[in-house]
Amino acid sequence: MNPILLHMKFFIDTANLAEIKEANNLGILDGVTTNPSLMAKEGITGEVNILKHYVDICNIVDGPVSAEVISTDYKGIVREGEYLATLHKNIVVKVPMILDGIKAIKHFSKKGIKTNCTLIFSAGQALLAAKAGATYISPFLGRLDDISANGIDLVGQIRHIYNNYTFDTQILAASVRHPMHIINCAELGADVATCPLKAIKALANHPLTSSGLETFLADHAKGNS
Ligand code: G3P
């Protein structure tokens, strides 16, 4: 376990403002991640609308908000990322795990611009992104599970590697699909889990909690009738 971990952060993985507000109102939300697919799912298209949407999200949650570049060449990633970073102090520039992305992450790191290296599927990719100075790396758990690999094992492997050194890069577990992913991430010491609202809310459920509460309320009603 990383001795400098103070607490596990919960991000919500959506561009849906109502869900972001609901999670934020629970009082346990630390940040937001988005990607082009999540933006498209909410019908947010066109540069002006997309940029405005990032600002809207930043105005709801006081924490890091990942905004993804769509350029795939170094100059384009740098241009886009530097602009995204001007939108709000909490913007984290999300950069794909490609060599031009690594080079751009190094550039952003030198300029003090926070980054999230996305589409991480191997320990080697996580090591490279940490070397470049990424603020966060996003291993995609669910998508590894989808191809009969083990997403959680990758989180453990990256944690082990980072703990051998003094990398500041935080492990941001992504493509989280269910509450056990979140619990397994916590067991392994992931710094952050970015989750759908449904998976966060499911952490609260237990049948013995429901039946126990029902009994308490029924007994109270009997005693007071
Ligand atoms: O954070 C990445 C996430 O949005 C991808 O999730 O479920 O499409 O693999 P999923």
Side-chain angles (χ1 to χ4, degrees), residues 48-66:
V48 173
N49 292 332
I50 289 171
L51 298 178
K52 180 184 173 302
H53 204 72
Y54 288 140
V55 175
D56 289 345
I57 293 172
C58 289
N59 287 335
I60 298 170
V61 180
D62 186 19
V65 173
S66 286

Side-chain angles (χ1 to χ4, degrees), residues 130-189:
K131 286 284 294 171
T135 314
Y136 303 95
I137 52 110
S138 289
F140 276 34
L141 310 192
R143 291 192 192 184
L144 280 169
D145 293 354
D146 287 344
I147 58 157
S148 306
N150 192 322
I152 288 297
D153 281 355
L154 177 61
V155 171
Q157 194 182 11
I158 299 169
R159 179 77 281 156
H160 180 84
I161 291 169
Y162 284 7
N163 285 0
N164 285 342
Y165 304 100
T166 53
F167 293 124
D168 290 331
T169 303
Q170 296 183 45
I171 302 170
L172 192 170
S175 184
V176 164
R177 303 273 174 79
H178 51 70
M180 274 316 291
H181 269 156
I182 305 176
I183 292 163
N184 293 151
C185 283
E187 286 172 336
L188 290 168

Side-chain angles (χ1 to χ4, degrees), residues 74-224:
Y74 172 71
K75 280 190 180 162
I77 295 171
V78 165
R79 190 176 52 245
E80 240 189 282
E82 287 185 350
Y83 186 71
L84 286 170
T86 65
L87 291 178
H88 192 281
K89 67 177 172 51
N90 287 343
I91 288 286
V92 173
V93 179
K94 204 170 180 187
V95 179
M97 165 39 76
I98 50 177
L99 290 176
D100 279 47
I102 290 297
K103 203 170 147 190
I105 286 169
K106 182 71 188 181
H107 167 86
F108 291 135
S109 160
K110 282 194 205 144
K111 291 196 82 173
I113 293 173
K114 293 201 166 84
T115 53
N116 174 359
C117 186
T118 189
L119 292 165
I120 295 277
F121 293 97
S122 76
Q125 292 177 326
L127 182 57
L128 200 54
K131 286 284 294 171
T135 314
Y136 303 95
I137 52 110
S138 289
F140 276 34
L141 310 192
R143 291 192 192 184
L144 280 169
D145 293 354
D146 287 344
I147 58 157
S148 306
N150 192 322
I152 288 297
D153 281 355
L154 177 61
V155 171
Q157 194 182 11
I158 299 169
R159 179 77 281 156
H160 180 84
I161 291 169
Y162 284 7
N163 285 0
N164 285 342
Y165 304 100
T166 53
F167 293 124
D168 290 331
T169 303
Q170 296 183 45
I171 302 170
L172 192 170
S175 184
V176 164
R177 303 273 174 79
H178 51 70
M180 274 316 291
H181 269 156
I182 305 176
I183 292 163
N184 293 151
C185 283
E187 286 172 336
L188 290 168
D191 301 271
V192 190
T194 189
C195 320
L197 179 61
K198 192 176 158 201
I200 296 175
K201 286 164 79 173
L203 288 173
N205 297 339
H206 196 288
L208 291 178
T209 304
S210 308
S211 61
L213 180 59
E214 205 175 306
T215 305
F216 285 157
L217 295 179
D219 288 345
H220 172 81
K222 270 189 240 159
N224 287 282

